[in-house]
Amino acid sequence: MPLTEINGAQLDVRERGSGEAVIFVHGAMGDECAAIVKEPVLINNFRVIDYNRRGWGNSSIPAMPVTMQQQIADCKAILKHLDVQRAHFAGQSGGGQ
């Protein structure tokens, strides 16, 4: 995934396909969504967005625990960066919060 500057951190952000946006947010395993975001039926019908939260994958490792408010702010900033006005959300485990 390419690194993108989001709220002072470098986050892995990837998008595929086109159409209505669907953003996938992983949980504590870090890669639960990896298989589904590549699914052709999704990519052929939706703009599929996934990213590694702070401390996961190649994203910046935080100096302190990341609050839920910071995670929400990061997700919102990713959507703004990608010029997404509305999106469907799919979260696994902690990513579903």
Side-chain angles (χ1 to χ4, degrees):
M1 290 186 199
L3 291 175
T4 304
E5 176 78 21
I6 300 291
N7 293 334
Q10 295 289 318
L11 300 183
D12 285 331
V13 179
R14 177 177 41 219
E15 63 178 321
R16 302 176 181 92
S18 62
E20 291 183 36
V22 180
I23 187 161
F24 287 84
V25 186
H26 69 81
M29 298 282 291
D31 64 354
E32 303 97 334
C33 302
I36 196 153
V37 297
K38 298 175 188 174
E39 186 61 40
V41 71
L42 283 174
I43 297 168
N44 291 338
N45 294 287
F46 296 96
R47 182 179 178 188
V48 177
I49 302 164
D50 68 305
Y51 67 101
N52 282 315
R53 297 183 293 144
R54 292 174 188 239
W56 300 98
N58 290 323
S59 292
S60 298
I61 297 172
M64 61 182 69
V66 180
T67 65
M68 185 57 65
Q69 289 77 20
Q70 182 63 60
Q71 292 184 51
I72 292 166
D74 287 348
C75 188
K76 288 173 70 174
I78 288 168
L79 294 175
K80 183 176 181 179
H81 172 77
L82 297 175
D83 196 31
V84 174
Q85 303 299 313
R86 296 176 55 154
H88 302 277
F89 289 81
Q92 173 66 28
S93 185
Q97 294 179 11

XYZ file of all heavy atoms in Angstrom:
734
model
N 0.840 -1.182 0.000
C 0.000 0.000 0.000
C 0.886 1.247 0.000
O 1.896 1.267 0.676
C -0.864 0.061 1.261
C -1.950 -0.937 1.362
S -2.946 -0.577 2.842
C -3.740 -2.148 3.032
N 0.472 2.277 -0.715
C 1.244 3.523 -0.645
C 0.999 4.234 0.686
O -0.092 4.166 1.241
C 0.687 4.337 -1.808
C -0.671 3.787 -2.066
C -0.622 2.336 -1.653
N 2.031 4.890 1.211
C 1.879 5.646 2.449
C 1.292 7.017 2.139
O 1.672 7.671 1.172
C 3.227 5.799 3.155
C 3.812 4.515 3.734
C 5.197 4.772 4.299
C 2.901 3.940 4.801
N 0.340 7.427 2.970
C -0.345 8.702 2.809
C -0.266 9.464 4.119
O -0.498 8.893 5.184
C -1.834 8.461 2.433
O -1.888 7.644 1.258
C -2.560 9.755 2.184
N 0.045 10.756 4.043
C 0.113 11.602 5.233
C -1.304 11.896 5.710
O -2.094 12.531 5.003
C 0.825 12.912 4.905
C 0.871 13.893 6.050
C 1.922 13.562 7.093
O 2.880 12.836 6.779
O 1.776 14.027 8.219
N -1.651 11.405 6.893
C -2.974 11.608 7.482
C -2.788 12.040 8.931
O -2.222 11.299 9.734
C -3.833 10.315 7.430
C -4.040 9.842 5.988
C -5.147 10.505 8.175
C -4.923 10.735 5.131
N -3.242 13.232 9.262
C -3.191 13.730 10.648
C -1.825 13.556 11.293
O -1.702 13.131 12.442
C -4.266 13.038 11.501
C -5.666 13.422 11.090
O -5.887 14.495 10.537
N -6.618 12.547 11.352
N -0.769 13.865 10.559
C 0.576 13.798 11.106
C 1.181 12.413 11.151
O 2.267 12.231 11.681
N 0.508 11.415 10.588
C 1.021 10.044 10.552
C 1.067 9.562 9.106
O 0.345 10.066 8.250
C 0.128 9.116 11.372
N 1.919 8.599 8.848
C 1.972 7.948 7.546
C 1.126 6.675 7.638
O 1.425 5.795 8.437
C 3.415 7.582 7.183
C 4.330 8.763 6.981
C 3.999 9.515 5.707
O 3.731 8.924 4.670
N 4.006 10.827 5.780
N 0.040 6.619 6.856
C -0.841 5.453 6.879
C -0.848 4.768 5.522
O -0.809 5.429 4.485
C -2.274 5.866 7.241
C -2.490 6.549 8.588
C -3.971 6.830 8.808
C -1.926 5.727 9.725
N -0.895 3.426 5.560
C -1.088 2.637 4.340
C -2.537 2.805 3.913
O -3.436 2.432 4.672
C -0.869 1.141 4.619
C 0.583 0.749 4.787
O 1.450 1.406 4.201
O 0.831 -0.249 5.476
N -2.777 3.356 2.738
C -4.136 3.549 2.244
C -4.199 3.001 0.824
O -3.319 3.282 0.008
C -4.536 5.045 2.229
C -5.943 5.224 1.678
C -4.431 5.642 3.620
N -5.249 2.221 0.540
C -5.394 1.648 -0.800
C -6.846 1.765 -1.233
O -7.761 1.612 -0.428
C -4.964 0.187 -0.774
C -5.135 -0.526 -2.084
C -4.630 -1.954 -2.066
N -4.972 -2.629 -0.844
C -4.165 -3.482 -0.205
N -2.968 -3.730 -0.653
N -4.555 -4.073 0.897
N -7.051 2.031 -2.511
C -8.403 2.011 -3.063
C -8.381 1.273 -4.389
O -7.398 1.305 -5.123
C -8.971 3.419 -3.217
C -8.237 4.316 -4.172
C -8.880 5.673 -4.318
O -10.115 5.772 -4.339
O -8.116 6.649 -4.418
N -9.496 0.595 -4.668
C -9.654 -0.176 -5.903
C -11.077 -0.003 -6.386
O -11.984 0.216 -5.592
C -9.438 -1.669 -5.645
C -8.124 -2.066 -5.056
C -8.177 -3.583 -4.800
N -6.975 -4.088 -4.205
C -6.772 -4.213 -2.903
N -7.705 -3.861 -2.051
N -5.654 -4.680 -2.424
N -11.285 -0.147 -7.683
C -12.627 -0.139 -8.233
C -13.230 1.249 -8.310
O -12.555 2.257 -8.119
N -14.533 1.275 -8.605
C -15.260 2.543 -8.694
C -16.713 2.305 -8.320
O -17.166 1.175 -8.242
C -15.151 3.123 -10.110
O -15.733 2.241 -11.041
N -17.416 3.387 -8.109
C -18.813 3.312 -7.688
C -18.946 3.820 -6.262
O -18.129 4.612 -5.792
N -19.995 3.359 -5.577
C -20.185 3.757 -4.182
C -18.999 3.284 -3.353
O -18.503 2.176 -3.531
C -21.464 3.140 -3.613
C -22.730 3.692 -4.204
C -23.959 3.091 -3.537
O -23.934 2.841 -2.316
O -24.931 2.871 -4.262
N -18.540 4.137 -2.442
C -17.377 3.813 -1.619
C -17.758 2.867 -0.484
O -18.783 3.038 0.168
C -16.766 5.088 -1.050
N -16.895 1.887 -0.260
C -16.998 0.978 0.886
C -15.631 0.980 1.541
O -14.628 0.676 0.905
C -17.373 -0.459 0.466
C -17.470 -1.360 1.693
C -18.652 -0.491 -0.339
N -15.580 1.357 2.820
C -14.299 1.392 3.527
C -14.254 0.256 4.541
O -15.201 0.030 5.295
C -14.039 2.766 4.184
C -12.631 2.816 4.771
C -15.093 3.129 5.209
C -12.104 4.203 5.020
N -13.162 -0.491 4.505
C -12.959 -1.620 5.405
C -11.956 -1.213 6.479
O -10.883 -0.679 6.172
C -12.421 -2.824 4.627
C -13.459 -3.463 3.753
C -13.721 -2.970 2.486
C -14.187 -4.552 4.206
C -14.681 -3.552 1.678
C -15.150 -5.139 3.409
C -15.404 -4.643 2.142
N -12.303 -1.457 7.741
C -11.445 -1.109 8.869
C -11.108 -2.399 9.620
O -11.997 -3.073 10.135
C -12.143 -0.098 9.813
C -11.180 0.360 10.897
C -12.683 1.095 9.028
N -9.826 -2.723 9.657
C -9.400 -3.977 10.287
C -9.427 -3.898 11.810
O -9.474 -2.820 12.397
C -8.000 -4.366 9.801
C -6.912 -3.459 10.285
N -6.370 -3.580 11.547
C -6.267 -2.434 9.700
C -5.430 -2.666 11.708
N -5.357 -1.947 10.591
N -9.359 -5.064 12.419
C -9.322 -5.169 13.872
C -7.916 -5.450 14.375
O -6.924 -5.076 13.746
N -7.837 -6.157 15.495
C -6.562 -6.392 16.172
C -5.628 -7.347 15.432
O -4.430 -7.362 15.710
C -6.812 -6.917 17.580
N -6.139 -8.125 14.514
C -5.270 -9.029 13.754
C -4.535 -8.263 12.652
O -3.515 -8.704 12.172
C -6.075 -10.168 13.154
C -6.759 -11.042 14.181
S -5.669 -12.204 14.977
C -5.316 -13.307 13.652
N -5.094 -7.141 12.224
C -4.433 -6.288 11.247
C -4.682 -6.639 9.798
O -4.566 -5.793 8.936
N -5.031 -7.896 9.507
C -5.199 -8.270 8.103
C -6.489 -9.035 7.829
O -6.616 -9.701 6.810
C -4.000 -9.073 7.624
C -3.853 -10.407 8.349
O -4.609 -10.666 9.302
O -2.981 -11.195 7.966
N -7.459 -8.913 8.710
C -8.695 -9.675 8.545
C -9.418 -9.359 7.237
O -10.114 -10.193 6.687
C -9.695 -9.423 9.679
C -9.187 -9.699 11.056
C -8.711 -8.429 11.735
O -8.318 -7.481 11.048
O -8.730 -8.400 12.966
N -9.287 -8.142 6.757
C -10.013 -7.705 5.561
C -9.217 -7.949 4.279
O -9.735 -7.719 3.183
C -10.352 -6.220 5.670
S -11.327 -5.779 7.128
N -7.972 -8.423 4.385
C -7.069 -8.522 3.234
C -7.652 -9.334 2.079
O -7.512 -8.938 0.922
C -5.731 -9.099 3.669
N -8.307 -10.433 2.365
C -8.829 -11.268 1.283
C -10.066 -10.649 0.629
O -10.177 -10.614 -0.594
C -9.159 -12.666 1.806
N -10.962 -10.133 1.416
C -12.226 -9.633 0.872
C -12.063 -8.356 0.059
O -12.767 -8.139 -0.914
C -13.300 -9.473 1.955
C -14.659 -9.339 1.299
C -13.015 -8.299 2.848
C -15.799 -9.799 2.112
N -11.110 -7.493 0.406
C -10.949 -6.239 -0.337
C -10.412 -6.470 -1.744
O -10.444 -5.566 -2.572
C -10.068 -5.210 0.415
C -10.722 -4.797 1.720
C -8.663 -5.732 0.629
N -9.942 -7.680 -2.026
C -9.458 -8.031 -3.362
C -10.521 -8.768 -4.173
O -10.290 -9.078 -5.335
C -8.218 -8.913 -3.243
C -7.057 -8.241 -2.550
C -5.916 -9.206 -2.369
C -4.826 -8.609 -1.509
N -3.777 -9.558 -1.205
N -11.656 -9.052 -3.565
C -12.709 -9.836 -4.215
C -13.223 -9.109 -5.461
O -13.709 -7.984 -5.386
C -13.858 -10.073 -3.229
C -14.940 -10.975 -3.724
C -14.462 -12.379 -4.046
O -13.633 -12.927 -3.287
O -14.922 -12.905 -5.070
N -13.120 -9.743 -6.638
C -13.543 -9.088 -7.883
C -14.985 -8.583 -7.876
O -15.263 -7.524 -8.425
C -13.340 -10.171 -8.945
C -12.256 -11.037 -8.389
C -12.507 -11.043 -6.898
N -15.906 -9.307 -7.250
C -17.298 -8.849 -7.247
C -17.437 -7.508 -6.531
O -18.255 -6.674 -6.912
C -18.249 -9.918 -6.653
C -18.059 -10.059 -5.153
C -19.693 -9.607 -6.994
N -16.620 -7.271 -5.519
C -16.633 -5.973 -4.837
C -15.969 -4.900 -5.700
O -16.518 -3.826 -5.898
C -15.918 -6.056 -3.488
C -16.680 -6.708 -2.355
C -15.796 -6.851 -1.133
C -17.916 -5.913 -2.017
N -14.772 -5.199 -6.177
C -14.010 -4.219 -6.955
C -14.743 -3.833 -8.237
O -14.674 -2.695 -8.679
C -12.606 -4.763 -7.268
C -11.822 -4.973 -5.958
C -11.833 -3.823 -8.183
C -10.551 -5.759 -6.139
N -15.469 -4.764 -8.824
C -16.193 -4.475 -10.067
C -17.454 -3.648 -9.835
O -18.030 -3.135 -10.795
C -16.554 -5.769 -10.790
C -15.328 -6.475 -11.335
O -14.286 -5.866 -11.545
N -15.443 -7.769 -11.534
N -17.907 -3.532 -8.598
C -19.156 -2.837 -8.304
C -19.035 -1.677 -7.324
O -19.976 -0.892 -7.191
C -20.189 -3.835 -7.766
C -20.589 -4.836 -8.824
O -21.307 -4.492 -9.753
N -20.098 -6.057 -8.712
N -17.910 -1.583 -6.623
C -17.753 -0.562 -5.592
C -16.350 0.033 -5.625
O -15.421 -0.578 -6.154
C -17.984 -1.155 -4.193
C -19.367 -1.664 -3.971
C -19.667 -3.008 -4.149
C -20.385 -0.802 -3.593
C -20.954 -3.479 -3.951
C -21.668 -1.262 -3.392
C -21.950 -2.612 -3.569
N -16.213 1.190 -5.038
C -14.904 1.788 -4.778
C -14.485 1.258 -3.415
O -14.992 1.697 -2.377
C -15.031 3.308 -4.773
C -13.726 4.032 -4.558
C -13.969 5.532 -4.608
N -12.754 6.283 -4.367
C -12.741 7.590 -4.206
N -13.853 8.296 -4.277
N -11.604 8.208 -3.988
N -13.599 0.311 -3.391
C -13.190 -0.382 -2.169
C -11.951 0.310 -1.588
O -10.934 0.451 -2.259
C -12.905 -1.867 -2.446
C -12.414 -2.570 -1.193
C -14.153 -2.558 -3.001
N -12.071 0.738 -0.341
C -10.987 1.448 0.343
C -10.621 0.659 1.599
O -11.504 0.250 2.358
C -11.430 2.880 0.734
C -11.863 3.654 -0.512
C -10.334 3.595 1.513
C -12.672 4.902 -0.209
N -9.336 0.436 1.792
C -8.891 -0.157 3.057
C -7.579 0.510 3.440
O -6.910 1.134 2.622
C -8.760 -1.678 2.966
C -7.643 -2.142 2.061
O -7.633 -1.734 0.884
O -6.783 -2.919 2.513
N -7.263 0.436 4.701
C -6.037 1.062 5.202
C -5.572 0.344 6.447
O -6.331 -0.387 7.081
C -6.261 2.551 5.485
C -7.207 2.855 6.639
C -6.710 3.213 7.884
C -8.581 2.790 6.474
C -7.567 3.498 8.936
C -9.444 3.078 7.508
C -8.932 3.435 8.738
O -9.784 3.717 9.779
N -4.298 0.524 6.748
C -3.755 0.006 7.999
C -3.763 1.141 9.009
O -3.198 2.213 8.770
C -2.324 -0.513 7.813
C -2.310 -1.878 7.173
O -3.078 -2.751 7.553
N -1.447 -2.063 6.199
N -4.432 0.889 10.121
C -4.489 1.891 11.182
C -3.095 2.121 11.755
O -2.177 1.347 11.506
C -5.442 1.414 12.281
C -6.872 1.262 11.776
C -7.841 0.857 12.863
N -7.571 -0.491 13.356
C -7.716 -0.856 14.623
N -8.103 0.001 15.535
N -7.474 -2.083 14.989
N -2.953 3.197 12.518
C -1.662 3.508 13.143
C -1.140 2.286 13.908
O -1.865 1.673 14.692
C -1.801 4.673 14.122
C -2.101 5.990 13.453
C -2.373 7.059 14.498
N -2.839 8.276 13.867
C -2.234 9.448 13.967
N -1.160 9.571 14.710
N -2.723 10.498 13.345
N 0.137 1.965 13.670
C 0.767 0.845 14.360
C 0.622 -0.484 13.645
O 1.169 -1.485 14.094
N -0.075 -0.537 12.526
C -0.288 -1.776 11.781
C 0.326 -1.655 10.395
O 0.400 -0.569 9.830
C -1.777 -2.084 11.655
C -2.441 -2.251 12.973
C -3.152 -1.310 13.653
C -2.450 -3.411 13.789
N -3.600 -1.815 14.842
C -3.186 -3.111 14.958
C -1.905 -4.686 13.654
C -3.391 -4.038 15.974
C -2.119 -5.603 14.669
C -2.854 -5.280 15.806
N 0.753 -2.787 9.834
C 1.356 -2.770 8.509
C 2.536 -1.809 8.478
O 3.347 -1.776 9.401
N 2.615 -0.998 7.428
C 3.688 -0.011 7.322
C 3.283 1.353 7.857
O 4.036 2.313 7.724
C 4.139 0.126 5.862
C 4.881 -1.097 5.392
O 5.633 -1.711 6.136
N 4.663 -1.477 4.148
N 2.096 1.457 8.435
C 1.656 2.739 8.993
C 2.526 3.127 10.176
O 3.140 2.273 10.828
C 0.192 2.657 9.440
O -0.658 2.524 8.321
N 2.581 4.434 10.445
C 3.382 4.952 11.560
C 3.026 4.252 12.864
O 1.855 3.955 13.126
C 3.124 6.450 11.750
O 3.506 7.177 10.615
N 4.054 4.011 13.666
C 3.838 3.432 14.993
C 3.658 4.586 15.973
O 4.529 5.454 16.070
C 5.022 2.543 15.403
C 5.129 1.376 14.417
C 4.873 2.061 16.839
C 6.363 0.520 14.594
N 2.529 4.616 16.673
C 2.271 5.742 17.580
C 3.164 5.704 18.814
O 3.577 4.644 19.262
C 0.799 5.546 17.968
C 0.560 4.083 17.806
C 1.447 3.633 16.682
N 3.436 6.886 19.356
C 4.252 7.000 20.564
C 3.454 6.605 21.799
O 4.011 6.274 22.825
C 4.765 8.431 20.714
N 2.130 6.682 21.701
C 1.273 6.336 22.830
C 0.053 5.610 22.283
O -0.178 5.615 21.076
C 0.864 7.589 23.594
C 0.079 8.586 22.755
S -0.363 10.089 23.626
C 1.222 10.861 23.830
N -0.746 4.996 23.122
C -1.955 4.340 22.624
C -2.828 5.331 21.842
O -2.941 6.501 22.195
C -2.667 3.871 23.890
C -1.581 3.752 24.913
C -0.594 4.843 24.571
N -3.417 4.838 20.775
C -4.281 5.659 19.929
C -5.704 5.578 20.468
O -6.236 4.492 20.671
C -4.237 5.168 18.468
C -5.122 6.018 17.583
C -2.803 5.170 17.955
N -6.301 6.725 20.690
C -7.666 6.760 21.209
C -8.663 6.474 20.088
O -8.344 6.594 18.896
C -7.997 8.141 21.807
O -7.985 9.105 20.746
C -7.008 8.536 22.893
N -9.877 6.133 20.470
C -10.931 5.925 19.495
C -11.189 7.222 18.728
O -11.410 7.197 17.512
C -12.211 5.435 20.176
C -13.316 5.089 19.201
S -12.866 3.833 17.963
C -12.612 2.410 18.984
N -11.111 8.352 19.398
C -11.313 9.640 18.737
C -10.264 9.866 17.649
O -10.579 10.381 16.578
C -11.292 10.797 19.754
C -12.500 10.838 20.663
C -12.444 9.777 21.778
O -11.400 9.247 22.126
N -13.606 9.458 22.321
N -9.008 9.482 17.913
C -7.950 9.637 16.906
C -8.191 8.703 15.727
O -8.005 9.082 14.579
C -6.571 9.371 17.507
C -5.442 9.573 16.503
C -5.337 10.994 16.012
O -5.132 11.898 16.797
N -5.492 11.215 14.716
N -8.637 7.477 16.015
C -8.919 6.538 14.927
C -10.062 7.042 14.051
O -10.002 6.935 12.821
C -9.251 5.154 15.494
C -8.045 4.504 16.137
C -8.345 3.114 16.609
O -8.862 2.300 15.850
N -8.020 2.826 17.857
N -11.080 7.609 14.670
C -12.204 8.182 13.913
C -11.707 9.354 13.077
O -12.044 9.463 11.885
C -13.331 8.609 14.865
C -13.975 7.377 15.499
C -14.371 9.458 14.135
C -14.866 7.685 16.689
N -10.888 10.210 13.673
C -10.349 11.363 12.945
C -9.504 10.907 11.753
O -9.579 11.491 10.668
C -9.533 12.248 13.884
N -8.718 9.848 11.938
C -7.909 9.317 10.837
C -8.798 8.806 9.706
O -8.559 9.105 8.534
C -7.002 8.184 11.323
C -5.830 8.656 12.168
O -5.558 9.873 12.223
O -5.183 7.780 12.781
N -9.816 8.060 10.042
C -10.723 7.511 9.028
C -11.418 8.643 8.271
O -11.497 8.628 7.033
C -11.733 6.570 9.676
S -12.742 5.673 8.481
N -11.898 9.636 8.992
C -12.550 10.785 8.351
C -11.566 11.530 7.445
O -11.929 11.953 6.345
C -13.127 11.720 9.409
C -14.362 11.158 10.102
C -14.815 12.004 11.262
C -15.393 13.322 10.830
N -15.963 14.080 11.970
N -10.324 11.673 7.890
C -9.320 12.371 7.084
C -8.968 11.581 5.820
O -8.719 12.174 4.769
C -8.070 12.636 7.919
N -8.962 10.266 5.912
C -8.726 9.436 4.725
C -9.840 9.669 3.713
O -9.585 9.863 2.524
C -8.618 7.943 5.104
C -7.299 7.683 5.832
C -8.729 7.051 3.864
C -7.219 6.331 6.507
N -11.081 9.659 4.184
C -12.207 9.888 3.278
C -12.111 11.273 2.641
O -12.337 11.421 1.431
C -13.524 9.714 4.017
C -13.814 8.295 4.494
C -15.091 8.255 5.315
C -13.892 7.326 3.326
N -11.740 12.264 3.423
C -11.590 13.619 2.881
C -10.466 13.650 1.852
O -10.608 14.230 0.773
C -11.325 14.618 4.005
C -11.228 16.041 3.524
C -11.069 17.013 4.672
C -10.999 18.440 4.131
N -10.863 19.412 5.198
N -9.342 13.019 2.166
C -8.196 12.963 1.262
C -8.581 12.330 -0.081
O -8.120 12.766 -1.137
C -7.053 12.172 1.914
C -5.901 11.901 1.007
N -4.975 12.858 0.694
C -5.552 10.782 0.331
C -4.073 12.336 -0.136
N -4.409 11.082 -0.369
N -9.435 11.318 -0.033
C -9.867 10.618 -1.245
C -11.104 11.254 -1.873
O -11.640 10.722 -2.844
C -10.133 9.139 -0.926
C -8.914 8.345 -0.458
C -9.331 6.934 -0.046
C -7.839 8.306 -1.547
N -11.555 12.376 -1.301
C -12.731 13.099 -1.796
C -13.983 12.210 -1.801
O -14.750 12.187 -2.757
C -12.481 13.681 -3.187
C -13.505 14.747 -3.547
O -14.000 15.442 -2.621
O -13.826 14.870 -4.745
N -14.166 11.470 -0.711
C -15.344 10.618 -0.538
C -16.332 11.356 0.358
O -16.005 11.691 1.494
C -14.957 9.254 0.095
C -16.202 8.439 0.415
C -14.016 8.492 -0.820
N -17.516 11.625 -0.169
C -18.550 12.334 0.586
C -19.385 11.396 1.453
O -19.829 11.757 2.540
C -19.469 13.094 -0.373
C -18.741 14.073 -1.274
C -18.013 15.153 -0.503
O -18.578 15.745 0.405
N -16.761 15.398 -0.847
N -19.641 10.194 0.932
C -20.453 9.194 1.634
C -19.826 7.833 1.422
O -19.255 7.570 0.366
C -21.879 9.166 1.070
C -22.645 10.444 1.284
C -23.982 10.370 0.618
N -24.676 9.169 1.118
C -25.973 9.035 1.159
N -26.741 9.997 0.713
N -26.537 7.948 1.622
N -19.945 6.970 2.423
C -19.358 5.636 2.298
C -20.131 4.633 3.137
O -20.765 4.986 4.125
C -17.893 5.658 2.746
N -20.045 3.391 2.717
C -20.500 2.259 3.522
C -19.276 1.826 4.332
O -18.149 1.941 3.868
C -20.952 1.097 2.639
C -22.055 1.465 1.695
N -23.375 1.481 2.069
C -22.015 1.833 0.391
C -24.126 1.834 1.035
N -23.319 2.054 0.005
N -19.492 1.318 5.531
C -18.382 0.886 6.377
C -18.521 -0.578 6.718
O -19.625 -1.059 6.987
C -18.350 1.690 7.688
C -17.933 3.116 7.502
C -18.832 4.077 7.079
C -16.613 3.476 7.730
C -18.445 5.386 6.897
C -16.208 4.788 7.543
C -17.138 5.753 7.133
N -17.380 -1.270 6.714
C -17.314 -2.655 7.153
C -16.125 -2.751 8.095
O -14.996 -2.419 7.706
C -17.132 -3.602 5.977
N -16.370 -3.146 9.324
C -15.293 -3.252 10.302
C -15.238 -4.633 10.904
O -16.259 -5.270 11.116
N -14.049 -5.108 11.161
C -13.834 -6.413 11.769
C -13.299 -6.200 13.179
O -12.373 -5.411 13.372
C -12.816 -7.218 10.928
C -12.370 -8.508 11.530
C -13.486 -9.516 11.624
O -14.418 -9.504 10.843
N -13.397 -10.404 12.588
N -13.890 -6.844 14.147
C -13.424 -6.794 15.529
C -13.319 -5.343 16.000
O -14.294 -4.604 15.921
C -12.094 -7.543 15.651
O -11.662 -7.625 16.978
N -12.133 -4.907 16.450
C -11.951 -3.550 16.927
C -12.218 -2.495 15.860
O -12.531 -1.357 16.172
N -12.091 -2.858 14.596
C -12.389 -1.948 13.503
C -13.875 -1.680 13.350
O -14.279 -0.737 12.671
N -14.680 -2.516 13.972
C -16.135 -2.336 13.906
C -16.656 -1.323 14.925
O -17.811 -0.926 14.869
N -15.790 -0.950 15.846
C -16.215 0.016 16.862
C -16.430 1.353 16.238
O -17.125 2.203 16.644
C -15.182 0.119 17.965
C -15.043 -1.148 18.756
C -13.993 -1.024 19.841
O -13.502 0.056 20.140
N -13.634 -2.115 20.441
